Amino acid sequence: MPHRIPMLLTLALMALSSIATPVHARPSAAFERQTVAAVNDVRADHGLKVLRRTDCLSRFAHAHARRMAQRQALFHQDLTAVARACRLRRAAENVAAGYHNGQTTVRSGWMESEGHRANILTRAHRLTAAGSVRDAHGTWWTVQILARR
């Protein structure tokens, strides 16, 4: 009998954690890695230095991707708060929704948009991170922050 209580408690905690954080709301590390890799491939193709990923930018990118998915709308966040928290001199942001992977987000989305393309190809950027969230409808919401300290 003493072994049943910890097992029941473990099962109850597992059930509660799955309710509190739906599977579709968890970040996709693979999608995010693909996005950063695709951006760095494009930069290398244009003779630019690759961008280094940072955890500080990653937290802000993922949080904003989650907000966009919850609101079902594309919008930019206030990068002043990001710059202050991550000790940046400059920051830019790319947002997207509806692409099936990081490669397509970059190549078919951002590189086909003048403003997003300019953010990716800016020589001054040295840092980056991407955040991606899949909503309950299966749509991917992606944020990339590019920056320099």
Side-chain angles (χ1 to χ4, degrees):
M1 184 73 159
H3 296 292
R4 281 189 69 163
I5 293 172
M7 179 61 117
L8 290 174
L9 182 59
T10 301
L11 291 172
L13 289 174
M14 286 173 55
L16 284 175
S17 68
S18 68
I19 291 169
T21 308
V23 172
H24 58 74
R26 291 190 181 141
S28 170
F31 199 111
E32 293 162 3
R33 279 192 308 273
Q34 287 175 357
T35 303
V36 171
V39 165
N40 279 329
D41 288 347
V42 166
R43 286 179 61 88
D45 291 346
H46 286 83
L48 301 170
K49 292 182 180 180
V50 298
L51 303 173
R52 285 184 301 115
R53 189 196 156 285
T54 70
D55 288 339
C56 187
L57 294 179
S58 182
R59 284 189 297 276
F60 279 95
H62 183 260
H64 190 60
R66 189 173 53 246
R67 280 190 297 274
M68 292 190 315
Q70 288 168 343
R71 295 182 194 172
Q72 295 288 291
L74 287 172
F75 58 96
H76 290 281
Q77 64 186 310
D78 177 8
L79 292 176
T80 305
V82 178
R84 191 175 315 119
C86 299
R87 299 182 328 268
L88 306 172
R89 285 190 284 157
R90 71 176 293 138
E93 181 178 63
N94 290 339
V95 297
Y99 295 96
H100 299 290
N101 59 52
Q103 181 82 317
T104 306
T105 301
V106 174
R107 300 272 180 181
S108 299
W110 294 334
M111 290 307 289
E112 297 299 319
S113 162
E114 186 178 329
H116 295 105
R117 178 183 174 90
N119 286 342
I120 290 170
L121 298 179
T122 297
R123 290 185 183 280
H125 294 142
R126 296 285 185 263
L127 306 170
T128 195
S132 298
V133 171
R134 190 172 183 192
D135 68 19
H137 308 288
T139 302
W140 285 100
W141 299 80
T142 305
V143 174
Q144 179 196 23
I145 303 173
L146 308 100
R148 183 175 189 145
R149 287 203 167 104

